[in-house]
Amino acid sequence: MNTTLFLAVFIAYFLVLTGISRLVSRKSGTDAFYTGDRESPWPLVAYGMIGAAMSGVTFVSIPGMVSNNFLYYFQFVIGNMIGYSFIVFVLIPIYYKLKLVSIYTYLSNRFGFYSYKIGSLFFILSQSFGAALRLLLGVKVLDYALFDPLGIPFHVAVVIILVIIWLYTNKSGIKTIVWTDALQTTFLITAAIVSIFAIQDAMDLSFSQTIDTMTSHKYFQIFDWDPKSGNNFFKQIIAGILIAIAMMGLDQNMMQKTLTCKSPSDAQKNALVFSFILAITQFLFLCLGVLLYIYAENNGISLSVDENGTFLNTDDLFPMLALNNFGMAGAITFILGITAAAFSSVDSSLTALTTSFSYDFLGMEKKSAQKKKKTKNMVLLGFNLVVFAIMSAFANSTGDIITSIFKVAGYTYGPLLGLFLLGIFTKIKIRDQYTPIICVIAPILTYIINEGLIHYFNFDLGFMNIFINALITVVFLVLFRTKDHWQFTDKKK
């Protein structure tokens, strides 16, 4: 590895991001940090959101997870694409009709104060952990390739990354991120393509031979029909639908970008195009994963396994090969890709967290322009410290992080999903004061049910825990309704 060259690439990349930030910030309005002044071109938003959705975790974990999960993850991706249709035709029109900045304001309008606050709080909890874990993996790779060889301690490296993100996002926030994400998506996809061609060249295969070698390998299995498996087709499809709705449609981070589009129709086109590009990109990374393991097998590269034959530390495979075996072009594009993936997911997460907390808990819309700026800076700094603390706590974690993130999401986004579905599709009125208790009980019961099914029946809910979680939330909310009847309503109400 050429540490000096990697450092030069890293610094150049930071300077480009800073330059984009300065250009975009010149004519920014008071609320540009939160709304992007609602003038973002939808094709740019759709393309840039790929980088934020993929993140450093996906960039490294999707190829690595192939050894233990084959291509079963793509079933989940198919479910995601179906879930996006709900976001496009149901959620986006509601958000634009209500002119929301924080999407959780909907819960206040529909149910009341406590539902609104607990919904936003669940998002803040989920997003803080998710952002920290996504950035953690990216920083670990950069630490291996860049910071550690320079003698920079891991915690200092984390601070450096967070300061860099703050420097190019603190002024115009989401307005800057819409543009920087597009650049970062390009580097992310380029890194995967260059790695595929590096493997093809190293194994002296033509393009068609590479396809045949990959598709004939034992890992190239997309569908799992075992009803007890957590990777079962139907479980993954349903979970993919619900998690797409929850982690995209009910997530301030992702929807904040969509709501910067000029009109509802532009936002809908953005979400549809984004869903297709994301699915193609994720399949590309799964195929890359198969090729990485084929390369490792052909070159006698040993990988750690446990007593059950399960591969360990699968997140290390792609960085190890890209930085040491794929030549200078492969190493440089990988550094750019992992840097882009880490930055693009966390910069938008910090902006979304700042937006949600400022509007949902601090009444930002009522403040003067001067107070808005001061409050925004303080809240943004606070969430940087929160992310740093979480990363420090999980610094020694191992395994593929992406599975952990989606499992945690099933517990934290389940109550949000239940609240929004009940609010959109029924006219039921609930006893708002009980909502926080219900939203805490539902994930606990879901965990107990899942562990019981595994222990007694060897049946793993997998990502389906979000369905059980949302269902329990809805059942309890209905039991604590204020009226004796409830009915389905027009979804646009």
Side-chain angles (χ1 to χ4, degrees):
M1 294 190 298
N2 190 327
T3 305
T4 303
L5 179 60
F6 292 165
L7 179 62
V9 170
F10 183 80
I11 293 174
Y13 184 72
F14 164 64
L15 293 175
V16 170
L17 291 179
T18 304
I20 293 173
S21 176
R22 288 180 63 86
L23 289 172
V24 172
S25 300
R26 285 179 177 177
K27 297 181 180 180
S28 298
T30 304
D31 294 325
F33 183 92
Y34 307 103
T35 68
D37 293 328
R38 298 198 187 280
E39 58 183 21
S40 302
W42 74 261
L44 180 74
V45 178
Y47 181 67
M49 282 174 64
I50 303 300
M54 291 288 288
S55 80
V57 171
T58 314
F59 183 75
V60 170
S61 278
I62 282 185
M65 73 192 303
V66 166
S67 60
N68 295 323
N69 295 285
F70 305 142
L71 269 63
Y72 295 151
Y73 179 75
F74 194 68
Q75 301 170 122
F76 181 80
V77 174
I78 296 172
N80 286 168
M81 294 180 68
I82 299 171
Y84 283 118
S85 63
F86 180 87
I87 297 171
V88 169
F89 298 110
V90 178
L91 294 179
I92 288 177
I94 291 174
Y95 295 156
Y96 268 87
K97 180 181 180 181
L98 297 175
K99 298 180 180 179
L100 302 182
V101 177
S102 168
I103 62 174
Y104 308 109
T105 308
Y106 168 80
L107 296 176
S108 177
N109 298 335
R110 180 62 181 83
F111 293 126
F113 176 85
Y114 293 103
S115 297
Y116 169 39
K117 298 303 181 183
I118 194 65
S120 179
L121 187 60
F122 263 77
F123 161 74
I124 290 172
L125 177 65
S126 303
Q127 194 66 210
S128 296
F129 273 92
L133 293 178
R134 289 193 297 270
L135 183 58
L136 175 62
L137 183 54
V139 175
K140 279 187 173 182
V141 175
L142 289 172
D143 184 58
Y144 168 74
L146 181 61
F147 295 116
D148 187 57
L150 293 173
I152 298 174
F154 178 79
H155 289 84
V156 176
V158 173
V159 172
I160 290 172
I161 297 297
L162 289 173
V163 169
I164 288 173
I165 292 172
W166 182 85
L167 286 173
Y168 74 84
T169 61
N170 80 93
K171 186 173 182 181
S172 294
I174 198 68
K175 188 171 184 178
T176 297
I177 289 167
V178 165
W179 290 92
T180 57
D181 275 1
L183 175 69
Q184 293 172 157
T185 295
T186 300
F187 285 129
L188 185 149
I189 295 175
T190 300
I193 294 173
V194 169
S195 296
I196 288 173
F197 280 109
I199 295 172
Q200 176 184 314
D201 183 64
M203 295 193 298
D204 195 24
L205 299 174
S206 66
F207 183 75
S208 60
Q209 289 174 324
T210 302
I211 298 297
D212 290 339
T213 300
M214 177 182 64
T215 54
S216 61
H217 195 271
K218 63 181 180 179
Y219 289 160
F220 199 88
Q221 299 179 40
I222 298 176
F223 303 110
D224 182 357
W225 304 105
D226 180 2
K228 293 186 177 182
S229 171
N231 290 316
N232 173 263
F233 173 80
F234 297 103
K235 294 179 186 177
Q236 291 278 21
I237 291 291
I238 294 172
I241 294 170
L242 297 177
I243 286 184
I245 294 170
M247 294 190 69
M248 298 294 177
L250 307 182
D251 185 289
Q252 180 69 26
N253 178 14
M254 300 307 295
M255 291 311 299
Q256 190 166 354
K257 295 184 181 70
T258 299
L259 296 178
T260 66
C261 293
K262 298 177 182 179
S263 66
S265 60
D266 280 359
Q268 289 173 310
K269 287 182 284 188
N270 156 67
L272 281 174
V273 172
F274 159 72
S275 67
F276 282 102
I277 299 176
L278 179 62
I280 294 170
T281 305
Q282 289 174 317
F283 187 73
L284 173 69
F285 274 83
L286 286 168
C287 292
L288 171 61
V290 178
L291 292 174
L292 289 172
Y293 282 101
I294 292 174
Y295 179 90
E297 292 167 3
N298 291 350
N299 288 273
I301 298 173
S302 59
L303 304 170
S304 301
V305 297
D306 63 16
E307 61 275 7
N308 298 316
T310 301
F311 284 86
L312 303 173
N313 300 319
T314 55
D315 287 345
D316 295 341
L317 179 65
F318 188 17
M320 177 182 68
L321 295 181
L323 295 173
N324 297 294
N325 296 75
F326 294 165
M328 190 57 64
I332 291 175
T333 54
F334 178 83
I335 289 295
L336 284 171
I338 191 64
T339 304
F343 281 19
S344 63
S345 62
V346 178
D347 56 17
S348 58
S349 291
L350 288 168
T351 301
L353 286 164
T354 301
T355 301
S356 181
F357 191 81
S358 297
Y359 275 83
D360 297 337
F361 293 95
L362 301 180
M364 182 64 83
E365 68 279 2
K366 301 175 183 177
K367 296 180 182 294
S368 65
Q370 185 176 2
K371 287 186 176 180
K372 279 184 177 181
K373 182 178 180 180
K374 183 178 180 180
T375 301
K376 178 261 294 181
N377 288 336
M378 292 298 295
V379 174
L380 183 59
L381 175 61
F383 278 113
N384 272 275
L385 294 175
V386 169
V387 168
F388 175 80
I390 296 172
M391 291 177 67
S392 299
F394 287 86
N396 296 320
S397 60
T398 59
D400 82 86
I401 295 177
I402 188 170
T403 300
S404 301
I405 287 178
F406 281 125
K407 283 185 177 180
V408 171
Y411 292 107
T412 55
Y413 280 92
L416 264 178
L417 182 62
L419 279 166
F420 271 86
L421 292 181
L422 189 67
I424 292 168
F425 289 110
T426 78
K427 290 181 178 179
I428 185 173
K429 293 184 179 180
I430 63 174
R431 296 180 182 176
D432 180 51
Q433 66 270 29
Y434 293 116
T435 303
I437 299 173
I438 292 171
C439 289
V440 171
I441 290 175
I444 295 173
L445 289 178
T446 302
Y447 178 80
I448 293 171
I449 290 170
N450 190 49
E451 291 300 307
L453 289 172
I454 293 173
H455 180 76
Y456 292 106
F457 303 102
N458 194 31
F459 184 92
D460 188 359
L461 288 172
F463 296 159
M464 272 288 289
N465 58 15
I466 192 172
F467 171 74
I468 302 300
N469 197 354
L471 181 61
I472 292 173
T473 303
V474 169
V475 169
F476 276 108
L477 289 172
V478 170
L479 289 175
F480 284 88
R481 65 189 185 275
T482 58
K483 293 186 177 182
D484 294 330
H485 67 278
W486 58 289
Q487 63 188 51
F488 289 98
T489 188
D490 182 350
K491 65 186 178 183
K492 294 183 180 180
K493 295 293 183 182

